[in-house]
Amino acid sequence: MAEVSSGDGAVRWSLPERGRLKVNVDAAVFSGKQEIGVGIVVRDCSGKIIQARHINLLGSFSPRHAEIIGIREALSWLKGSDHLVIESDAMEVILELRNRDLAEPDLLAAHILAQKARYLSGHQEWFNNFSEFLTSVTVSDLI
């Protein structure tokens, strides 16, 4: 079982340690529209917002998968940045990420592929040279 750290479940936002950036990620599922929204806010140790981003994705996602996608998008967007603290209000997702035995990365990759199928014609199979949208999901699972 994953450990619960000091500050997990905190209700109030707190400053990151000096030299670190805090990345807050949240996802919203718009049930009637078959889409999700992801918000990402990056703040420094003084609380100043230094970057922000929103993403809108079409598809039918569960709240859990929407949060996972949001965190993956944040990590992909901030790739190369050091000393990040990722914060989300989805405790179950955070505990899964901390404990690889609980995570289901293959389900996420398959879910993403299924959602992309709506924009692909016919059927496709890949044996090598996989599409970037699929490799980015599976590569992030190995990190």
Side-chain angles (χ1 to χ4, degrees):
M1 184 78 174
E3 255 183 58
V4 177
S5 298
S6 174
D8 284 351
V11 175
R12 294 188 61 138
W13 187 86
S14 61
L15 295 170
E17 295 175 15
R18 183 168 299 287
R20 293 190 179 271
L21 298 174
K22 186 170 275 190
V23 183
N24 292 97
V25 180
D26 197 23
V29 177
F30 306 117
S31 58
K33 295 184 176 185
Q34 298 286 312
E35 65 182 317
I36 63 170
V38 173
I40 305 167
V41 177
V42 182
R43 295 199 224 181
D44 64 15
C45 62
S46 68
K48 178 182 170 191
I49 295 175
I50 59 170
Q51 290 180 278
R53 184 177 197 192
H54 78 86
I55 301 163
N56 186 16
L57 297 171
L58 296 177
S60 177
F61 299 95
S62 70
R64 179 180 163 273
H65 280 129
E67 292 287 343
I68 292 170
I69 290 167
I71 292 169
R72 182 185 56 92
E73 289 292 329
L75 292 172
S76 177
W77 178 46
L78 299 167
K79 193 181 311 183
S81 299
D82 292 329
H83 310 293
L84 299 176
V85 175
I86 305 294
E87 199 170 71
S88 167
D89 63 357
M91 181 68 83
E92 177 184 314
V93 171
I94 297 300
L95 292 175
E96 284 179 15
L97 291 172
R98 288 184 184 169
N99 184 351
R100 288 188 149 313
D101 295 335
L102 296 175
E104 303 173 41
D106 291 339
L107 291 179
L108 178 59
H111 183 77
I112 296 295
L113 187 56
Q115 293 300 316
K116 288 288 187 179
R118 107 191 281 186
Y119 305 106
L120 304 172
S121 61
H123 72 277
Q124 293 180 309
E125 295 179 20
W126 295 276
F127 297 100
N128 55 23
N129 298 325
F130 300 100
S131 294
E132 190 278 329
F133 73 84
L134 186 57
T135 56
S136 66
V137 172
T138 56
V139 166
S140 66
D141 293 335
L142 300 175
I143 299 173

